[in-house]
Amino acid sequence: MTLAHGHDDKNNSIFRIALNLTVTCFISGIFIAGTYAITEPAAAAQRVKAKNDAMRELVKEAESFKAIDSKEGWYEAIKGGKVIAYVVPANGKGYAGNIEMLAAVTPQGKAIDFKVLKHAETPGLGDKMVEPKFRKQFANKEPNDLEVVKVPTDKNIQSLTGATITSRAVTKGVKEAVEAVVTYAATQKK
């Protein structure tokens, strides 16, 4: 009889531990969900503000930005009622992962500038892609000119020292964005 009773205590103890763990997990889940519900709207608003700030930085002369319904993440930069640029998402596969950017492109299909939104490139090497010295090379370039070279020319993009993969990823992302705008702008003229 005592054996069966000892077995019941063991089962009872395991049941109590399992119940305590379940209650703790449930309470933790409620706490995490509550925290997310409170912080997510603020985080979403911050992401929208960061994107708006990036668009204003890329096309300073724009009076407003209008979302393009048929193109997710695309915006028209408007001045005097006319589209002066498109701001579109761009990305490239860098050395340490995906590089997320916004690219500004003229309606005539030339790059204006780009802004890196998210990356994990090597500090001191790949992260130099955000510096004006590298970014200014993209201004007024057509898709054919958006090619990385090691020896500088006025026509192409000079690679960052020690960060060729990053340089190519950014350039490829911007080039694809420019090409997409060229295609889209051609449909708008009809």
Side-chain angles (χ1 to χ4, degrees):
M1 232 30 199
T2 50
L3 261 169
H5 186 269
H7 187 65
D8 283 346
D9 283 346
K10 189 174 181 182
N11 284 343
N12 198 15
S13 173
I14 290 171
F15 176 75
R16 258 190 260 131
I17 290 170
L19 184 62
N20 286 343
L21 281 172
T22 302
V23 169
T24 302
C25 288
F26 183 73
I27 291 170
S28 296
I30 289 173
F31 180 73
I32 290 168
T35 302
Y36 179 80
I38 292 166
T39 60
E40 179 51 25
Q46 184 58 39
R47 285 193 296 271
V48 168
K49 182 186 181 316
K51 188 170 193 173
N52 288 339
D53 290 349
M55 289 192 300
R56 292 224 171 276
E57 182 184 327
L58 289 171
V59 191
K60 293 173 183 62
E61 62 275 12
E63 294 165 352
S64 63
F65 294 90
K66 181 180 170 233
I68 299 173
D69 293 336
S70 61
K71 296 284 206 175
E72 188 177 337
W74 284 47
Y75 291 85
E76 295 173 330
I78 299 168
K79 181 179 181 180
K82 291 176 67 177
V83 176
I84 60 168
Y86 293 97
V87 180
V88 302
N91 65 72
K93 177 84 173 82
Y95 180 75
N98 195 38
I99 301 168
E100 293 178 24
M101 302 169 280
L102 282 179
V105 183
T106 68
Q108 296 75 33
K110 291 186 177 185
I112 297 171
D113 196 358
F114 69 91
K115 173 92 175 159
V116 174
L117 302 176
K118 188 176 172 186
H119 76 88
E121 298 302 279
T122 308
L125 292 173
D127 68 346
K128 290 186 176 188
M129 68 186 148
V130 302
E131 294 178 0
K133 183 179 177 188
F134 182 70
R135 286 176 49 196
K136 73 179 182 180
Q137 297 183 83
F138 289 79
N140 293 314
K141 296 272 193 312
E142 294 178 354
N144 291 342
D145 298 331
L146 291 167
E147 192 162 326
V148 175
V149 294
K150 292 200 181 215
V151 178
T153 69
D154 290 338
K155 189 172 175 158
N156 301 111
I157 306 297
Q158 182 183 357
S159 177
L160 291 164
T161 304
T164 305
I165 294 171
T166 303
S167 303
R168 285 187 182 137
V170 170
T171 303
K172 182 177 183 283
V174 173
K175 180 177 184 171
E176 288 171 356
V178 173
E179 290 170 341
V181 167
V182 168
T183 302
Y184 177 77
T187 67
Q188 299 308 297
K189 292 175 185 171
K190 292 177 183 176

